[in-house]
Amino acid sequence: MVGSAIKLKLEESGYKNLVYKTSSELDLKNQAATKVFIESEKPDVVIIAAARVGGILANDRYPYPFLYDNLQIQNNLINASHQNDVGKVIFLGSSCIYPKMAPQPLKEDYLLTGPLEPTNQWYAIAKIAGVKMVEALRKQFDRNYVSLMPTNLYGPRDNFDLETSHVLPAMIRKFHDAKEAGNKPVTLWGSGNPMREFLYVEDVADAVLFTMESDLDETLYNVGTGKDITIKELAETIREITGHEGEIEWDSSKPDGTPRKLMDVSRMKEQGWTYTTELKEGIEKTYRWFLENRDEVREVKV
Ligand SMILES: NC(=O)c1ccc[n+]([C@@H]2O[C@H](COP(=O)([O-])OP(=O)(O)OC[C@H]3O[C@@H](n4cnc5c(N)ncnc54)[C@H](OP(=O)(O)O)[C@@H]3O)[C@@H](O)[C@H]2O)c1
């Protein structure tokens, strides 16, 4: 999802000399193959949007690939970039790197100040290692490498699999399917009480472009809207947009995750970047895309 949005954004902005590989063409877990790729392409900039990504249940059920795949992918790319003198690396992490009970909104300085949310600690620990790789290269070799930590993202080309997807695409799919089935009740995970922030994927692509074209002062930046809503409010918004008219049932046997996860986005704002797409508009665009691509939407299996 994020990689395609960045590709479109760069093309729209006039960048032509772009190089990509799909996971079937290049397995980034393979150190030797990744090294050969970077050595032969000699890119000026490396943007790391590849990762093993998934929602709460997938993280909890399949801890090993969330730790191992992410460590391998980022280690191979960051180290090969450094060894080949790549001028800029942009590493994408996630807001789950911050401690579960950190004060809200989450500031970059709260990293490693307390225990993580246990359900996605595997993914978070890998991402924290990536942030520290970037920081170490900046400190020791004065590399112009940056880590961006986006909040929850959503948009076209998201994963709509009900087991591995994030909350927002899962809700779009559930409400849409229930409406099609005659407005059947929709069962949603958890209590509905946690608060979450969401950013439209085109906005994160814009933040990546901004980072690529700027000399930022720090190594780590949050990327979000700085605004959050409850999962219940999100469900009502999506129900309205999809036109579902049935009941909502909350399955409290499923985990809630962190009670609140709101980013402090002031560091990025001070550098001159801010988001533009409001949540309702972003969900409407995503639902339109979902309807137009219903038969081909991505369903990631772990
Ligand atoms: N989605 C979010 O809410 C969110 C929030 C914050 C941060 N982020 C960050 O944004 C980045 C991209 O996330 P996304 O939502 O775009 O995830 P995504 O749609 O699942 O994309 C991840 C991509 O990585 C590729 N990939 C996985 N393993 C690979 C491997 N071993 N070799 C080569 N490619 C591999 C996948 O290819 P295949 O599909 O072929 O496996 C896929 O194209 C991640 O770093 C994630 O942490 C995402």
Side-chain angles (χ1 to χ4, degrees), residues 1-4 21-24 26-30 48-54 69-70 73 91-95 123 127 148-154 157-159 166 201 298 300:
M1 173 174 70
V2 177
S4 335
K21 291 275 180 206
T22 64
S23 62
S24 50
L26 172 63
D27 179 358
L28 293 165
K29 298 197 298 302
N30 182 331
I48 308 178
R52 169 72 70 184
V53 179
D69 288 17
N70 287 317
I73 292 169
F91 170 64
L92 290 172
S94 151
S95 57
Y123 177 75
K127 293 292 189 182
L148 298 181
M149 297 302 115
T151 187
N152 302 294
L153 303 172
Y154 68 98
R157 287 169 287 275
D158 208 342
N159 167 24
H166 289 118
V201 70
R298 213 157 52 100
V300 176

